[in-house]
Amino acid sequence: NAGVTQTPKFRILKIGQSMTLQCAQDMNHNYMYWYRQDPGMGLKLIYYSVGAGITDKGEVPNGYNVSRSTTEDFPLRLELAAPSQTSVYFCASSYRRDRGFTNTGELFFGEGSRLTVL
Amino acid sequence: DAKTTQPPSMDCAEGRAANLPCNHSTISGNEYVYWYRQIHSQGPQYIIHGLKNNETNEMASLIITEDRKSSTLILPHATLRDTAVYYCIVSLGRMYSGGGADGLTFGKGTHLIIQP
């Protein structure tokens, strides 16, 4: 198993450009997440998905869009890049039961995508 | 989810046990305690979690006080490779509820430095 794979690892964008960060997992996990981490800070949740076709906003969704057409893939789209979006982006996945109370599970993270907007 | 408080940094000598404290005084009955770590700028790595009982795995032990208001992560024989930021997270076990409440919240954590 490759686990969670993110591409690209590094990218420099100009203000106003658009791009998509790719995330794929091969563990058949139903939950997938996108976080961002600014220097010296913790991780902030951008968007997450509980299964194909279902996405929901996290703490900092403005300026981003996501889609989940398959269980494996969860791309993050930046439409009009701004310097405030300079950050390291982490994708993660987990398995959670669909019924009843359950622990939020062990999250498996990718290696991160480092984005600079100039 | 309940908030956690951790010291910003700690030192530990190589080969000794590293004890990382976490306060979560507002924890509720269905909330789990999770520990993750982040080595340098890599993606966070799950370590261990617990609800009420103490837990042990190949990486670490988790000691939760009887009132569940605090916990300690123990790395029994710390090595230089254990230098990392350690995150203590409290999260409610629940069904999907929407509203952006289903991800784990990572604070600033404790920067553990293992000294040779």
Side-chain angles (χ1 to χ4, degrees), chain B residues 3-14:
Chain B
K3 190 173 179 178
T4 62
T5 303
Q6 299 178 253
S9 64
M10 291 181 61
D11 288 347
C12 179
E14 188 178 17

Side-chain angles (χ1 to χ4, degrees), chain A residues 12-23:
Chain A
I12 298 175
L13 281 181
K14 294 182 179 178
I15 294 173
Q17 285 186 321
S18 300
M19 77 158 299
T20 299
L21 298 177
Q22 301 291 344
C23 177

Side-chain angles (χ1 to χ4, degrees), chain B residues 17-39:
Chain B
N19 296 279
L20 292 91
C22 180
N23 286 320
H24 31 78
S25 58
T26 60
I27 193 170
S28 63
N30 287 323
E31 287 184 309
Y32 288 78
V33 179
Y34 291 85
W35 283 86
Y36 281 74
R37 73 180 183 183
Q38 187 175 25
I39 296 173

Side-chain angles (χ1 to χ4, degrees), chain A residues 31 33 35 37 41-43 45 48 50 54 56-57 90 96 99-107 109-111 114, chain B residues 32 34 36 38 41-44 46 49 87 91-96 98-104 106-108:
Chain A
Y31 278 64
Y33 313 80
Y35 286 89
Q37 185 175 33
M41 305 297 287
L43 282 75
L45 183 65
Y48 68 102
V50 303
I54 305 172
D56 212 338
K57 296 178 180 179
F90 291 102
R96 290 172 58 173
R99 295 283 185 267
F101 280 88
T102 178
N103 72 73
T104 45
E106 175 184 351
L107 269 63
F109 282 83
E111 289 298 307
R114 285 152 182 78
Chain B
Y32 288 78
Y34 291 85
Y36 281 74
Q38 187 175 25
S41 298
Q42 299 176 17
Y46 165 85
H49 77 277
Y87 299 98
S91 184
L92 181 65
R94 57 185 165 215
M95 295 182 292
Y96 167 61
D102 291 89
L104 297 184
F106 289 78
K108 291 187 178 182

Side-chain angles (χ1 to χ4, degrees), chain B:
Chain B
D1 293 341
K3 190 173 179 178
T4 62
T5 303
Q6 299 178 253
S9 64
M10 291 181 61
D11 288 347
C12 179
E14 188 178 17
R16 304 295 294 269
N19 296 279
L20 292 91
C22 180
N23 286 320
H24 31 78
S25 58
T26 60
I27 193 170
S28 63
N30 287 323
E31 287 184 309
Y32 288 78
V33 179
Y34 291 85
W35 283 86
Y36 281 74
R37 73 180 183 183
Q38 187 175 25
I39 296 173
H40 194 44
S41 298
Q42 299 176 17
Q45 175 190 26
Y46 165 85
I47 301 173
I48 198 167
H49 77 277
L51 183 61
K52 297 179 182 178
N53 300 321
N54 297 338
E55 302 288 344
T56 295
N57 63 20
E58 65 277 5
M59 289 182 67
S61 294
L62 173 60
I63 308 299
I64 303 174
T65 58
E66 193 168 343
D67 63 7
R68 303 208 325 121
K69 293 185 177 183
S70 66
S71 61
T72 301
L73 179 75
I74 301 172
L75 308 177
H77 305 287
T79 70
L80 297 178
R81 287 175 295 182
D82 291 322
T83 292
V85 177
Y86 287 78
Y87 299 98
C88 170
I89 302 164
V90 170
S91 184
L92 181 65
R94 57 185 165 215
M95 295 182 292
Y96 167 61
S97 58
D102 291 89
L104 297 184
T105 299
F106 289 78
K108 291 187 178 182
T110 295
H111 187 195
L112 174 66
I113 300 172
I114 306 301
Q115 304 283 1

Side-chain angles (χ1 to χ4, degrees), chain A residues 4 6 9 88-91 109-114, chain B residues 41-43:
Chain A
V4 178
Q6 292 184 235
K9 288 186 169 48
V88 181
Y89 292 83
F90 291 102
C91 179
F109 282 83
E111 289 298 307
S113 296
R114 285 152 182 78
Chain B
S41 298
Q42 299 176 17

